[in-house]
Amino acid sequence: MRARDKAAVSALRATLAALDNAEAVPVGEVETRGPALEQSPVGAGATEAARRELSEHGVVEIVRAEADERLEAAAQLTAPAHADRVARLRAEAAVLLGFLDGHGDGDGRGDGAS
């Protein structure tokens, strides 16, 4: 952020959100309706649920999916008018793939292909 690298900030924020969503505990239909008032939990943290912990492999898969999503979107934008958007998507993917180097990302090329 300090370097004002918009592509890196955008990619990292979106990926952190994806990781945060992956750690969320699924909520069933019963939980969304809630208990009767007299059965409601009381006190600080009474309704909190422990978040899921992702393995390193799970994190790598999510980061790779975020990078792949950007590369696929860039490949679909073929009109010259989209050149800036394509460059930004590829730059974002490169930032994410850079984090995968040395983390069992497959072929080590960092180009999104495994």
Side-chain angles (χ1 to χ4, degrees), residues 7-84:
V9 170
S10 176
L12 294 173
R13 281 187 174 162
T15 302
L16 287 173
L19 290 167
D20 195 42
N21 287 340
E23 291 175 335
V25 177
V27 178
E29 184 179 330
V30 174
E31 290 91 354
T32 58
R33 283 188 271 137
L37 184 58
E38 62 273 7
Q39 296 173 336
S40 296
V42 178
T47 59
E48 295 294 318
R51 296 184 63 79
R52 290 190 278 182
E53 289 191 35
L54 298 174
S55 66
E56 183 175 345
H57 176 73
V59 171
V60 167
E61 290 298 314
I62 291 168
V63 174
R64 174 157 306 285
E66 289 290 314
D68 288 347
E69 182 179 307
R70 283 160 177 75
L71 292 172
E72 289 171 17
Q76 292 177 6
L77 296 172
T78 58
H82 297 297
D84 289 342

